[in-house]
Amino acid sequence: MANIATQRIKREFKEVIKSEEVAKCAIRVQLVDDNYTELKGEIAGPPDTPYEGGNFVLEIKVPETYPFNPPKVRFITKIWHPNISSVTGAICLDILKDQWAAAMTLRTVLLSLQALLSSAEPDDPQDAVVAKQYKDKLDMFEKTARHWTHVYAGGPCYNQEFADKIKRLEDMGVEENQARVALSSYNWDLERATEQLFSS
Amino acid sequence: MSTSASPAEPSASPPEPSTSGNSSQKEGAGEEARDDRNFECNICLDTAKNAVVSMCGHLFCWPCLHQWLETASARQVCPVCKAAISREKVVPLYGRGSSDQQDPRENSAPRPSGQRTEPDGSLFNGFGLGDNSFHLSFGIGAFPFGFFTSTFNLGETRPSPAAMGTPQHLEEQFLSKIFLWLAIIFIAWLLLA
């Protein structure tokens, strides 16, 4: 049955390359190995979201039972989003779990993920810290997400204040990414982030 | 769970009507390819083999759909539109070309067969009497005379039997057969007693 998975991925791959979303640079798929079991996806951050201007890379693993089971997808690019783990990039999306249907394709999965970026579901979070910030301090969430998009996904919005705070933690010997996670988790409160970093 | 995404319908463009009879070879091939796409299985994306169609109108190879129903046995939904679907309610498509030349994939159950409804007609040929106008009536009256009249149908005009194929005709056939059996049982009982 691995045969049907490969056959289908080949067909989908051809289809996605020809699709209009690719022409508009909204989504992209690349092969990672020659036997079509692992692919690299890319989605553009949707306009009017904190992810605008960013380019997010995804790891797509095609199981042998595809398309009867969903592909395993996670974000390689770090992202600040309630339904995506800021640490592992794991995604909480129903169609990648129990709502998968065999007629869905790489193209629809990537478009669904793009839709997830523009409409987060904080009530069904993958990252509880991000979800709490999204619900309590939406403004702070958007700034943080924009900052992450700039740093990891090549987004346009540079944030001097956040960069300075990270620099101060780095001067204390904290690794940059670790400093960013701590500050983001504590709403960019330098004191509390420092406390948390040095208490553990 | 999180965001629901609507599964995309395959967006096949409607075939253009050919305007002239002498269209070039290339155009014809393009049209053929487009036509083929209309008959792609929604699961393997290949031209459907042993094709079945769901009640919601979506086309699949039977082996593909069977495997989907096996995999998602707790949630029997159409892979395209997520309407309820079941093994019993898919309709096989029989084209004119032979469908037996395809290799049925391993582990797939035989495709459900089409359901035929017989047109209305004589359904009660069970006793093999052949002659559908056979009638037998049975009654108990004033013994010697009533018996004779009812047995030999003397002295009274009976309404003619209902026309073949009508519900009334079927009903009459059925009743007369019941009475025939009752008479046989009654006679047997008389002989044994």
Side-chain angles (χ1 to χ4, degrees):
Chain A
M1 275 300 139
N3 209 9
I4 180 169
T6 317
Q7 282 272 327
R8 218 189 97 142
I9 288 290
K10 273 184 196 167
R11 281 171 181 275
E12 282 187 44
F13 192 74
K14 275 185 208 153
E15 191 184 278
V16 84
I17 284 174
K18 278 186 272 175
S19 74
E20 55 180 299
E21 288 87 10
V22 167
K24 285 187 284 182
C25 303
I27 60 172
R28 205 140 67 108
V29 184
Q30 282 174 307
L31 284 177
V32 171
D33 60 4
D34 286 339
N35 47 11
Y36 290 87
T37 55
E38 193 172 336
L39 298 103
K40 198 172 87 167
E42 271 178 48
I43 54 175
D48 302 318
T49 66
Y51 311 103
E52 184 171 5
N55 187 41
F56 298 87
V57 181
L58 297 139
E59 174 192 270
I60 304 170
K61 286 189 173 163
V62 182
E64 277 207 357
T65 50
Y66 186 81
F68 302 103
N69 291 105
K72 291 182 174 61
V73 186
R74 82 180 178 91
F75 274 83
I76 294 179
T77 307
K78 283 180 166 294
I79 183 169
W80 192 250
H81 186 285
N83 305 109
I84 301 159
S85 166
S86 58
V87 183
T88 62
I91 303 163
C92 178
L93 182 62
D94 55 0
I95 61 151
L96 294 177
K97 292 169 187 171
D98 57 335
Q99 293 296 308
W100 171 255
M104 290 177 181
T105 61
L106 294 175
R107 184 178 149 268
T108 56
V109 165
L110 291 181
L111 291 176
S112 301
L113 286 171
Q114 207 173 30
L116 180 67
L117 292 191
S118 38
S119 57
E121 287 282 344
D123 291 324
D124 186 24
Q126 176 77 33
D127 196 310
V129 177
V130 186
K132 192 169 182 305
Q133 190 183 58
Y134 184 96
K135 281 169 133 182
D136 298 344
K137 296 191 167 191
L138 187 63
D139 180 50
M140 190 56 88
F141 162 81
E142 283 181 353
K143 271 192 202 166
T144 310
R146 204 165 280 131
H147 170 72
W148 280 55
T149 305
H150 169 71
V151 175
Y152 299 114
C157 296
Y158 179 71
N159 188 320
Q160 187 62 50
E161 181 202 341
F162 290 176
D164 288 345
K165 285 181 176 170
I166 290 166
K167 188 82 184 61
R168 291 197 40 200
L169 280 179
E170 275 187 280
D171 290 343
M172 288 185 244
V174 182
E175 192 266 325
E176 184 196 332
N177 290 328
Q178 215 182 347
R180 184 170 293 110
V181 170
L183 282 163
S184 300
S185 305
Y186 288 99
N187 298 326
W188 298 90
D189 182 330
L190 188 59
E191 252 173 59
R192 287 183 59 200
T194 318
E195 226 170 78
Q196 189 261 332
L197 281 168
F198 289 96
S199 66
S200 55
Chain B
M1 297 301 279
S2 317
T3 328
S4 324
S6 55
E9 293 274 347
S11 53
S13 53
E16 291 157 24
S18 55
T19 45
S20 63
N22 46 8
S23 57
S24 73
Q25 186 80 27
K26 198 185 164 194
E27 256 174 48
E31 224 157 74
E32 210 168 87
R34 259 200 306 267
D35 277 355
D36 272 1
R37 289 213 59 188
N38 281 333
F39 297 100
E40 274 175 11
C41 162
N42 280 290
I43 294 179
C44 65
L45 310 184
D46 208 339
T47 306
K49 292 167 189 156
N50 292 334
V52 293
V53 67
S54 64
M55 294 303 256
C56 44
H58 295 112
L59 182 71
F60 307 97
C61 302
W62 170 245
C64 293
L65 185 66
H66 175 73
Q67 203 182 346
W68 169 248
L69 292 177
E70 293 280 298
T71 313
S73 51
R75 221 170 50 90
Q76 306 256 297
V77 294
C78 168
V80 180
C81 68
K82 296 193 174 170
I85 197 172
S86 74
R87 189 198 148 84
E88 287 73 32
K89 284 195 176 166
V90 298
V91 181
L93 295 182
Y94 301 125
R96 205 168 144 276
S98 158
S99 60
D100 291 333
Q101 64 192 19
Q102 315 294 353
D103 61 323
R105 276 165 228 198
E106 293 163 23
N107 305 330
S108 71
R111 177 164 57 150
S113 54
Q115 292 160 13
R116 274 194 94 240
T117 313
E118 291 292 337
D120 274 351
S122 52
L123 288 175
F124 290 97
N125 282 326
F127 290 102
L129 293 171
D131 182 6
N132 275 331
S133 63
F134 177 79
H135 276 261
L136 182 128
S137 45
F138 184 69
I140 297 170
F143 172 59
F145 311 108
F147 192 76
F148 275 99
T149 50
S150 66
T151 309
F152 298 108
N153 296 333
L154 295 175
E156 56 182 307
T157 51
R158 293 162 55 91
S160 58
M164 284 270 288
T166 59
Q168 202 193 345
H169 173 79
L170 295 179
E171 211 169 285
E172 278 175 20
Q173 290 288 308
F174 181 61
L175 274 176
S176 83
K177 252 138 230 179
I178 286 183
F179 280 115
L180 174 64
W181 280 107
L182 269 178
I184 290 167
I185 291 165
F186 183 67
I187 289 162
W189 175 67
L190 278 179
L191 290 174
L192 290 172

